[in-house]
C-alpha cells in the first residue's frame, strides 16, 4: 500500500493489525492477568519512567506487601518508601499512598469505574486514567505514552514536537480515532504500547519484520530516527554532595530529608553541599557543631566518590567516614540520630547512600 494513497484505509487497518501482532508477540507480565483496578493502577505508577525489567520485581513486592488498596492505605510511609527505594521519583510513592487513602476512606475502597472519575483523583493523570479505565473497565479510551507517540509519529508522519500542547492535541485526536475499530480497547491499548516497546523501538526499530511497514510514513521516507520530534532536554545540572559519615560504637549518624528537594523523606548522612567538587575534607567549610566532632574523630580510609544520575540532576557524592571514640559526647542537631546497621536497613534511603552502605560498610 502506498502510504499516501488512502489514509482512511491505514487508520481502519491499524487497530486490527496491532491486535493480531499482539496476540503473537506479547510478553507474559503479571499485571496483564488481572482486571483489578488497584493492581493495574499500581503497575502503571511503578512503570512510569521505569523499564519493565526493573519495575516487575517492585510490582511483585508491593502486591505481596499490600495486596489491596486498603492495605496500601494503611501502610507506614517509611516502609512504603523503603520498598520504593531505587525506583526514584519518590513523589510517585507519596501520591500513591495519598490516593490509596482517599479511595479507602472516601470511596469505600472502590475505584471510580470511568476515565473521568479516575482523572479526578490526586496523582492520576490522563495516561494512567486511560490505562486503568480501559484495562480494568473496558472503556474505549486511548492511552498515549512515549511508545504511542513514537508509533503514531512514525506511521502517520507527524512532525509536530511532542512536548508542545498543540502536538498533544493532535496525537490525542488521532489516538481516539484509531481505537474505534478495535475489537477490545484493553487489548488494543496493550498492543500499541507493546509494539512501541519491542518492535517500533527508539533506536534500531525492527522495520524488516514490521506488519505496518508498507503503511509507515517514516519507513517509506527513511525518517525512523527523526520521528518523533522532541525538543532537547534541559542540560543536566551537577550537584556536589559531600557526606560526613559519623560512626561511633558501630552506629551511624543519619537524618531524614524533610526539605522540598530530591529524596524528600529519605534518610542520608550529614551533608555539606558545595558548588564545585572538593578533593579533601579540609576544603569543606563545616558548620561549627560538625567541625568540633570531626576534630575529635579520625578520618578512616580515603573519601569514596559515587555518582547518581537523576532526570535533570547528576549527584556527585563524596563520602568521608569519620570514626569517633566512645568517650566523645555527640550532641546532634534536631532531626539527626544514631542508628545501628539493622535499623538503617529498615530506613528508606537514596540509591547513592544504599550503594555506599552496601559496598563500603556492608
Amino acid at each position: 500500500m502506498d502510504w499516501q494513497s488512502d489514509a482512511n484505509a491505514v487508520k481502519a487497518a491499524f487497530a486490527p493489525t496491532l491486535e493480531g501482532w499482539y496476540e503473537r508477540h506479547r510478553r507474559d507480565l503479571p499485571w496483564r492477568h488481572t482486571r483489578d483496578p488497584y493492581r493495574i493502577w499500581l503497575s502503571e505508577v511503578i512503570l512510569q519512567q521505569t523499564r519493565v525489567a526493573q519495575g516487575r520485581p517492585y510490582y511483585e513486592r508491593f502486591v505481596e506487601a499490600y495486596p489491596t488498596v486498603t492495605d496500601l492505605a494503611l501502610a507506614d510511609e517509611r516502609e512504603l518508601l523503603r520498598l520504593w527505594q531505587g525506583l526514584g521519583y519518590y513523589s510517585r510513592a507519596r501520591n500513591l499512598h495519598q490516593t490509596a487513602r482517599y479511595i479507602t476512606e472516601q470511596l469505600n475502597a472502590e475505584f471510580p469505574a470511568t476515565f473521568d472519575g479516575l482523572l479526578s483523583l490526586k496523582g492520576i493523570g490522563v495516561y494512567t486514567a486511560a490505562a486503568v479505565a480501559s484495562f480494568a473497565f473496558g472503556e474505549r479510551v486511548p492511552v498515549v505514552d512515549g511508545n504511542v507517540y513514537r508509533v503514531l509519529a512514525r506511521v502517520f508522519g507527524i512532525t509536530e514536537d511532542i512536548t508542545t500542547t498543540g502536538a498533544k492535541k493532535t496525537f490525542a485526536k488521532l489516538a481516539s480515532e484509531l481505537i474505534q475499530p478495535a475489537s477490545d480497547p484493553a487489548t488494543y491499548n496493550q498492543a500499541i504500547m507493546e509494539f512501541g516497546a519491542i518492535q517500533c523501538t527508539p533506536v534500531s526499530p525492527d522495520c524488516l519484520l514490521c506488519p505496518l511497514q508498507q503503511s509507515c510514513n517514516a519507513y517509506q521516507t527513511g525518517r525512523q530516527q527523526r520521528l518523533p520530534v522532541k525538543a532537547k532536554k534541559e542540560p543536566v545540572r551537577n550537584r556536589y554532595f559531600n557526606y560526613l559519615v559519623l560512626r561511633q560504637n558501630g552506629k551511624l549518624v543519619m537524618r531524614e530529608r524533610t526539605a522540598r528537594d530530591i529524596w524528600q523523606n529519605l534518610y542520608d548522612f550529614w551533608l555539606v553541599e558545595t558548588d564545585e567538587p572538593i578533593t579533601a575534607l579540609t576544603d569543606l567549610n563545616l558548620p561549627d557543631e560538625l567541625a568540633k566532632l570531626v576534630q575529635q574523630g579520625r578520618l578512616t580510609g580515603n573519601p569514596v566518590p559515587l555518582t547518581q544520575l537523576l532526570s535533570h540532576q547528576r549527584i556527585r557524592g563524596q563520602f568521608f567516614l569519620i570514626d569517633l571514640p566512645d568517650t566523645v559526647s555527640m550532641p546532634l542537631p534536631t532531626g539527626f540520630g544514631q542508628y545501628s546497621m539493622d535499623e538503617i536497613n529498615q530506613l528508606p534511603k537514596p540509591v547513592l547512600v544504599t550503594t555506599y552502605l552496601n559496598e563500603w560498610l556492608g
Side-chain angles (χ1 to χ4, degrees):
M1 178 188 297
D2 181 349
W3 65 270
Q4 292 177 318
S5 64
D6 193 347
N8 288 332
V10 173
K11 291 179 180 179
F14 188 79
T17 300
L18 285 184
E19 287 177 303
W21 174 91
Y22 180 68
E23 289 302 318
R24 297 188 299 274
H25 299 285
R26 66 181 177 185
R27 292 169 291 180
D28 185 18
L29 301 172
W31 46 85
R32 290 179 176 166
H33 295 286
T34 182
R35 290 274 184 172
D36 180 352
Y38 164 66
R39 297 193 176 197
I40 292 167
W41 169 59
L42 178 63
S43 72
E44 292 299 335
V45 175
I46 287 174
L47 292 174
Q48 290 169 17
Q49 309 291 334
T50 304
R51 292 176 291 103
V52 167
Q54 181 192 7
R56 180 172 181 163
Y58 282 90
Y59 170 82
E60 292 169 341
R61 285 198 290 271
F62 263 80
V63 167
E64 181 178 1
Y66 313 117
T68 70
V69 69
T70 301
D71 294 318
L72 181 60
L74 297 174
D76 175 72
E77 184 176 281
R78 181 185 292 183
E79 176 60 19
L80 188 151
L81 290 173
R82 190 182 69 81
L83 279 181
W84 193 270
Q85 186 176 304
L87 276 176
Y89 299 92
Y90 288 89
S91 61
R92 288 185 295 165
R94 286 187 285 271
N95 285 338
L96 193 77
H97 200 197
Q98 291 173 19
T99 304
R101 286 175 172 171
Y102 179 84
I103 293 170
T104 298
E105 296 168 4
Q106 304 299 321
L107 303 180
N108 197 30
E110 294 289 336
F111 274 75
T114 66
F115 169 78
D116 290 336
L118 290 160
L119 193 58
S120 70
L121 299 177
K122 179 179 173 59
I124 294 188
V126 172
Y127 164 75
T128 304
V132 177
S134 65
F135 301 155
F137 303 112
E139 187 172 349
R140 196 170 291 272
V141 56
V143 295
V144 182
D145 69 349
N147 288 320
V148 175
Y149 277 123
R150 183 167 56 258
V151 173
L152 298 186
R154 286 175 174 170
V155 173
F156 295 95
I158 302 172
T159 58
E160 295 177 57
D161 180 348
I162 63 173
T163 64
T164 65
T165 301
K168 286 179 170 58
K169 292 179 179 178
T170 297
F171 281 92
K173 181 176 182 295
L174 176 59
S176 294
E177 292 178 32
L178 294 173
I179 199 173
Q180 298 311 315
S183 61
D184 175 61
T187 300
Y188 167 77
N189 278 333
Q190 292 279 18
I192 191 169
M193 290 194 296
E194 188 80 331
F195 190 78
I198 66 176
Q199 181 85 32
C200 192
T201 53
V203 180
S204 303
D206 188 6
C207 297
L208 184 63
L209 300 177
C210 176
L212 298 173
Q213 181 196 89
Q214 294 306 307
S215 58
C216 178
N217 182 299
Y219 178 78
Q220 298 296 335
T221 60
R223 295 187 296 166
Q224 296 96 315
Q225 300 304 325
R226 296 201 294 273
L227 294 175
V229 175
K230 185 177 182 181
K232 290 185 178 179
K233 292 182 178 180
E234 296 178 10
V236 174
R237 169 192 174 200
N238 283 311
R239 296 179 69 179
Y240 302 95
F241 282 18
N242 305 286
Y243 281 119
L244 281 293
V245 184
L246 304 179
R247 182 168 64 182
Q248 186 182 55
N249 289 324
K251 292 187 174 184
L252 304 180
V253 173
M254 302 191 78
R255 56 88 190 242
E256 182 179 9
R257 294 174 62 89
T258 56
R260 293 185 63 84
D261 192 5
I262 60 169
W263 304 336
Q264 187 176 7
N265 301 126
L266 305 189
Y267 283 72
D268 64 359
F269 305 111
W270 206 319
L271 170 64
V272 179
E273 185 173 359
T274 52
D275 294 331
E276 300 291 338
I278 60 103
T279 57
L281 186 58
T282 53
D283 294 336
L284 287 175
N285 182 20
L286 302 178
D288 290 343
E289 54 197 346
L290 180 56
K292 289 178 183 177
L293 289 173
V294 170
Q295 288 169 5
Q296 298 176 81
R298 172 176 54 85
L299 177 63
T300 301
N302 295 319
V304 175
L306 293 171
T307 299
Q308 184 177 349
L309 183 62
L310 308 178
S311 56
H312 298 296
Q313 300 182 35
R314 181 182 291 107
I315 308 302
R316 296 189 180 277
Q318 189 135 235
F319 294 80
F320 298 88
L321 178 60
I322 309 294
D323 276 305
L324 289 156
D326 299 350
T327 54
V328 171
S329 174
M330 201 182 319
L332 297 173
T334 302
F336 285 83
Q338 290 181 279
Y339 298 89
S340 69
M341 291 305 295
D342 285 343
E343 291 170 328
I344 290 171
N345 287 337
Q346 300 305 311
L347 297 176
K349 303 170 290 294
V351 168
L352 190 75
V353 170
T354 300
T355 300
Y356 172 74
L357 287 168
N358 291 343
E359 295 186 4
W360 295 90
L361 297 183

